[in-house]
Amino acid sequence: MNELSLSKAYRFLEPGPVVLMTTAYKGSTNIMTMSYYMIIQDGSEDGSVPLIGCSIGPWDHSFTALCATGECVIAVPTVDLASKVVEIGNCSGDDVDKFDAFGLTPVSAEKVKSPLVAECLANLECRVSDNSLVDKYNLFILEVVKAWTDPERKERRMIHHNGDGTFVVDGRTINLKKKMVKWPTYL
Amino acid sequence: MNELSLSKAYRFLEPGPVVLMTTAYKGSTNIMTMSYYMIIQDGSEDGSVPLIGCSIGPWDHSFTALCATGECVIAVPTVDLASKVVEIGNCSGDDVDKFDAFGLTPVSAEKVKSPLVAECLANLECRVSDNSLVDKYNLFILEVVKAWTDPERKERRMIHHNGDGTFVVDGRTINLKKKMVKWPTYL
């Protein structure tokens, strides 16, 4: 895995793929599947940090871990992991060791105790920056503190949940850089 | 345009496409392009309303309108509108009447004064539900109050911004409903 600049980490989340979130608590790890998140601040400007908002319900096993430890990793899967992503989202860490059950490989992160997922395209180590919205909205605000990517990975297509059990797979890419005000900085 | 049940409106946003937001204020309308948003509450359960979080900076012309009126429409474009979506995001409503400049058609909404965009796949009429996070995070929480879709539209592929001026177009769809706990409700 290669280090990814924090100022570019948002580029794996802006397209809105379904992601995994790992936590580690009381000697065990957990993974959940998540689509309800956003970039609050992309961290692309000097002096600003990347902030992500994400919605995690108290029924999720990961909720307790996130509240207690204030740490997690957001891992970005690709289409070859689609079935596992869905199965992860449909069982509970109370019952199952998900890394083990789904043949995923935990890797030690650098700044947090939650594991990276070796099979994912990108991994974003996060700390809870603001939990004041958890009671009202189940909304955690996370700061990305370290980011990794796997530039060698051949399969790079992400998947997007349509909210009904079907997923759209990334298709072709179109380049509209020259129409963007920020174009020179995209080079 | 056909009415879309509020309990299913989230299905156009969960995949994370780039969207347009329209506002109407002081006799003129505006459109902006937006990727930084999330589903806070999907509204799929009885008695719950759909809530969307979105990040809109004070430099955006739409920010003033949204603060003043508390209303907007989130319109979901498809790939045939990609160039327009980018151009909309790269000019200001201070200078340009964007519906006019980009050949888009405003349609009266039912519950808000902001216009729907006739050329879009879906239109979600929204009211600001909570502005307490605007000062700290430029984060507005919106409630979807009415939703519309164009079931006849042939081109239905949405686009997703990679954060660098390139966009991924929706590819094929995979059906993993049977692996989902919620499966029977997806029928």
Side-chain angles (χ1 to χ4, degrees), chain A residues 10 14-16 35-37 42 87 90 130 136-137 160-161 163-165 167 169 171-172 174 176 179 181 186, chain B residues 10 14-16 35-36 42 87 90 130 136-137 160-161 163-165 167 169 171-172 174 176 179 181 186:
Chain A
Y10 74 98
E14 184 169 351
S35 267
Y36 296 179
Y37 67 85
D42 60 30
E87 285 163 344
N90 285 275
D130 187 333
K136 192 170 184 188
Y137 296 114
H160 308 256
H161 189 208
D164 65 353
F167 294 76
V169 183
R172 65 185 182 95
I174 52 183
L176 293 165
K179 289 182 179 278
V181 163
Y186 288 150
Chain B
Y10 75 96
E14 184 168 352
S35 268
Y36 297 176
D42 59 31
E87 285 163 345
N90 284 276
D130 187 333
K136 191 170 184 188
Y137 296 114
H160 308 256
H161 189 208
D164 65 354
F167 294 76
V169 183
R172 66 185 181 95
I174 52 183
L176 293 164
K179 289 182 179 278
V181 164
Y186 287 149

Side-chain angles (χ1 to χ4, degrees), chain A residues 166-186:
Chain A
T166 66
F167 294 76
V168 169
V169 183
D170 280 351
R172 65 185 182 95
T173 296
I174 52 183
N175 184 337
L176 293 165
K177 288 185 186 192
K178 288 194 177 164
K179 289 182 179 278
M180 306 287 284
V181 163
K182 279 188 178 180
W183 174 58
T185 69
Y186 288 150

Side-chain angles (χ1 to χ4, degrees), chain A residues 10-17 35-42 45 51 53-55 59 79 82-83 86-87 89-91 129-130 132-133 136-137 139 141 157-182 186, chain B residues 10-17 35-42 45 51 53-55 59 79 82-83 86-87 89-91 129-130 132-133 136-137 139 141 157-182 186:
Chain A
Y10 74 98
R11 293 182 182 180
F12 284 95
L13 300 187
E14 184 169 351
S35 267
Y36 296 179
Y37 67 85
M38 69 183 284
I39 294 163
I40 288 181
Q41 187 167 282
D42 60 30
E45 288 180 19
L51 294 177
C54 62
S55 172
W59 49 85
V79 63
S83 285
V86 170
E87 285 163 344
N90 285 275
C91 65
S129 153
D130 187 333
S132 63
L133 304 156
K136 192 170 184 188
Y137 296 114
L139 181 61
I141 296 183
R157 289 173 299 171
M158 300 186 288
I159 56 173
H160 308 256
H161 189 208
N162 289 317
D164 65 353
T166 66
F167 294 76
V168 169
V169 183
D170 280 351
R172 65 185 182 95
T173 296
I174 52 183
N175 184 337
L176 293 165
K177 288 185 186 192
K178 288 194 177 164
K179 289 182 179 278
M180 306 287 284
V181 163
K182 279 188 178 180
Y186 288 150
Chain B
Y10 75 96
R11 293 183 181 179
F12 284 95
L13 299 186
E14 184 168 352
S35 268
Y36 297 176
Y37 67 85
M38 69 183 283
I39 294 164
I40 288 181
Q41 187 167 280
D42 59 31
E45 289 181 16
L51 294 177
C54 62
S55 172
W59 50 86
V79 64
S83 285
V86 170
E87 285 163 345
N90 284 276
C91 65
S129 154
D130 187 333
S132 64
L133 303 157
K136 191 170 184 188
Y137 296 114
L139 182 61
I141 297 184
R157 289 172 299 171
M158 299 186 288
I159 56 173
H160 308 256
H161 189 208
N162 288 317
D164 65 354
T166 67
F167 294 76
V168 169
V169 183
D170 281 352
R172 66 185 181 95
T173 298
I174 52 183
N175 184 338
L176 293 164
K177 289 185 186 192
K178 288 192 176 167
K179 289 182 179 278
M180 307 286 283
V181 164
K182 279 187 177 178
Y186 287 149

Side-chain angles (χ1 to χ4, degrees), chain B residues 30-172:
Chain B
N30 191 34
I31 320 177
M32 62 172 277
T33 299
M34 182 169 75
S35 268
Y36 297 176
Y37 67 85
M38 69 183 283
I39 294 164
I40 288 181
Q41 187 167 280
D42 59 31
S44 64
E45 289 181 16
D46 288 342
S48 79
V49 296
L51 294 177
I52 297 168
C54 62
S55 172
I56 307 204
W59 50 86
D60 289 314
H61 181 82
S62 305
F63 179 93
T64 306
L66 196 53
C67 289
T69 67
E71 297 184 341
C72 66
V73 167
I74 294 178
V76 183
T78 44
V79 64
D80 48 314
L81 300 180
S83 285
K84 297 187 189 204
V85 166
V86 170
E87 285 163 345
I88 284 167
N90 284 276
C91 65
S92 171
D94 287 327
D95 310 320
V96 169
D97 174 331
K98 297 194 198 184
F99 273 99
D100 199 55
F102 300 113
L104 294 173
T105 313
V107 171
S108 293
E110 182 179 296
K111 292 186 184 279
V112 301
K113 294 191 171 55
S114 327
L116 313 180
V117 182
E119 291 79 5
C120 282
L121 179 61
N123 281 267
L124 279 50
E125 302 184 25
C126 301
R127 288 210 189 95
V128 176
S129 154
D130 187 333
N131 63 5
S132 64
L133 303 157
V134 174
D135 284 348
K136 191 170 184 188
Y137 296 114
N138 292 334
L139 182 61
F140 292 81
I141 297 184
L142 312 174
E143 178 183 338
V144 184
V145 295
K146 189 77 187 180
W148 307 91
T149 182
D150 183 355
E152 316 256 305
R153 201 179 207 290
K154 290 191 164 44
E155 178 56 79
R156 303 183 73 80
R157 289 172 299 171
M158 299 186 288
I159 56 173
H160 308 256
H161 189 208
N162 288 317
D164 65 354
T166 67
F167 294 76
V168 169
V169 183
D170 281 352
R172 66 185 181 95

